[in-house]
Amino acid sequence: MESYILLDYSTLRVVWWALLGFLLVGFAVMDGFDLGIASALHLVARTDAERRVVINVMAPVWEGNQVWLITGGGAIFAAWPLLYAMAFSGFYLAMMLLLVALILRPVGFKYRSKIEDPGWRASWDAVLAGSGIVAALVFGVAVGNVIQGVPFRFDADTLRPVYEGGFFGLFTPFPLLCGVLSVILLVMHGCVFLRMKTEGAVSARAKSLAQLCAIAVILLFAAAGVWVFHGLDGYAIVGEAARSAASNPLGKEVAVEAGAWAWNFNQWPAMWLAPALGLGGALLVLALGFGPWMRLAFLASVCSVAGVVLTFGFALFPFLLPSSLMPGASLTIWDASASHMSLWVMLIAVLIFMPVVMMYTAWVYRVMSGRVTERSVRETPNAY
């Protein structure tokens, strides 16, 4: 049967690593701006009418944006089952916290407008803002923990994964730095989008907050880069990886060395474009000053978000989940994937359905284009 598969096993593994990166970038860019808008709700909107405007900027698209997260989780489950098992069991409490935050978002959207009471609406506004902050923080903290290594191991006889960390152990200084960077990056991204979609006081406040966040993104991303490349131990496979063998995370030797996360950038200098995008995009958001350049500022924000995510992926390659307890058991793209046939069948499905999803998404944004104003909210019966 495998004679009909046009791509060899090692190539398919790289293709699926690239697809996973594409989905993570898509989620960070698409769902990132509405998480950022929710997080900044109380900073950009001070009256009930202004908050309704901000909420109705997110309302038509947030559900579609969240599909990127669901698709990414499904891709991990199908293409990298060992990664799914280890990450979702080891980070169980953090995942539950994230799940609660994501569940409260739609509840906040739906319930806020049910009662015209200031206290009721203020409570749900706080829920929306809190859920956005918590979700963005947890995503960043998770990335920080992956970079510094996760305390797990595999039982040598049964390959049963064992996680030996605790919930509060996830919130050490470096992961917290990544969490704060994540929140501020998404607030910047959301405020740039909000600037395009609103007018008046809300738009002006969004512009000011986006530029403040751009400065913070530049400083925090640079600080995180220095910390990773010069202050944290990285992981590297010793010898030649078994790229086409059946998945077995215990079949390799891994060295832990200072500065190892910079090796890929030194070996493939083109990868430096990712951190350059992360810093350069934020710098453009700061420098453009919006005005007639709002669309260009949003494109710069998209580049900044994508650059930060790609920097993380390029630094780790080929690792998916390094182990701080048992480095040789670290999960890589070569030893944590599904079978050759499974990857091939799923790739065909992706090539068929992903363009459909992207075209539908583009159509939705075209239909929903235009500014949201207090007047449009008042005159739309089904507005939140």
Side-chain angles (χ1 to χ4, degrees):
M1 180 68 72
E2 291 193 359
S3 61
Y4 295 98
I5 301 177
L6 301 180
L7 298 176
D8 60 65
Y9 200 9
S10 62
T11 302
L12 271 174
R13 283 166 160 168
V14 175
V15 168
W16 270 97
W17 172 79
L19 283 172
L20 179 60
F22 174 76
L23 291 172
L24 291 178
V25 169
F27 166 68
V29 168
M30 302 298 291
D31 202 30
F33 74 74
D34 60 61
L35 286 175
I37 291 173
S39 302
L41 179 62
H42 291 85
L43 298 176
V44 297
R46 296 175 183 172
T47 66
D48 180 69
E50 290 178 348
R51 288 173 189 160
R52 287 191 69 195
V53 168
V54 173
I55 289 169
N56 280 280
V57 169
M58 298 181 282
V61 295
W62 75 269
E63 288 178 291
N65 291 342
Q66 202 151 287
V67 169
W68 287 89
L69 175 62
I70 298 169
T71 306
I76 293 174
F77 173 78
W80 315 102
L82 285 176
L83 173 63
Y84 183 91
M86 191 62 256
F88 280 73
S89 60
F91 295 156
Y92 184 77
L93 290 178
M95 291 292 183
M96 289 301 297
L97 178 63
L98 173 63
L99 187 60
V100 168
L102 294 179
I103 289 173
L104 286 175
R105 293 180 70 211
V107 176
F109 283 123
K110 300 295 183 182
Y111 278 27
R112 183 192 187 276
S113 300
K114 297 298 184 183
I115 301 176
E116 293 187 12
D117 176 72
W120 171 268
R121 291 189 171 185
S123 298
W124 286 112
D125 288 341
V127 168
L128 285 171
S131 63
I133 293 170
V134 168
L137 181 70
V138 170
F139 286 125
V141 167
V143 167
N145 277 280
V146 171
I147 292 173
Q148 70 177 14
V150 179
F152 74 91
R153 59 181 176 82
F154 282 95
D155 183 276
D157 297 322
T158 64
L159 277 184
R160 181 175 64 89
V162 179
Y163 177 76
E164 297 189 5
F167 174 74
F168 293 104
L170 298 175
F171 297 90
T172 53
F174 180 74
L176 280 175
L177 171 64
C178 293
V180 173
L181 172 60
S182 174
V183 173
I184 294 176
L185 177 67
L186 296 188
V187 169
M188 178 194 76
H189 189 43
C191 285
V192 175
F193 187 78
L194 198 60
R195 170 69 169 168
M196 288 197 309
K197 295 286 290 182
T198 60
E199 60 185 30
V202 172
S203 183
R205 294 188 200 112
K207 171 187 173 181
S208 299
L209 185 55
Q211 292 180 314
L212 285 174
C213 288
I215 296 172
V217 166
I218 293 169
L219 296 176
L220 291 174
F221 187 43
V226 172
W227 197 337
V228 169
F229 293 152
H230 300 286
L232 286 182
D233 288 339
Y235 293 68
I237 297 176
V238 177
E240 187 67 25
R243 303 187 179 193
S244 298
S247 292
N248 176 13
L250 301 183
K252 63 182 178 301
E253 182 181 352
V254 174
V256 181
E257 299 182 19
W261 288 141
W263 289 0
N264 285 338
F265 295 90
N266 296 330
Q267 185 173 358
W268 296 290
M271 286 186 175
W272 285 107
L273 288 174
L277 277 177
L279 292 171
L283 187 61
L284 275 176
V285 169
L286 179 63
L288 286 173
F290 302 83
W293 307 103
M294 284 187 291
R295 292 182 182 275
L296 186 57
F298 183 69
L299 179 60
S301 180
V302 168
C303 290
S304 184
V305 172
V308 171
V309 176
L310 291 174
T311 299
F312 161 67
F314 290 162
L316 260 67
F317 181 83
F319 290 89
L320 296 170
L321 193 68
S323 170
S324 59
L325 286 182
M326 191 177 180
S330 298
L331 303 182
T332 74
I333 69 170
W334 313 122
D335 55 30
S337 73
S339 69
H340 193 183
M341 178 61 69
S342 296
L343 295 181
W344 174 246
V345 172
M346 290 187 297
L347 179 61
I348 295 174
V350 167
L351 293 176
I352 294 172
F353 292 109
M354 182 59 74
V356 177
V357 171
M358 294 181 69
M359 286 188 291
Y360 176 76
T361 301
W363 176 78
V364 168
Y365 275 87
R366 181 178 177 83
V367 171
M368 297 296 176
S369 62
R371 293 179 183 268
V372 179
T373 65
E374 292 185 22
R375 180 180 177 180
S376 68
V377 170
R378 285 196 308 268
E379 294 178 350
T380 304
N382 59 345
Y384 288 103

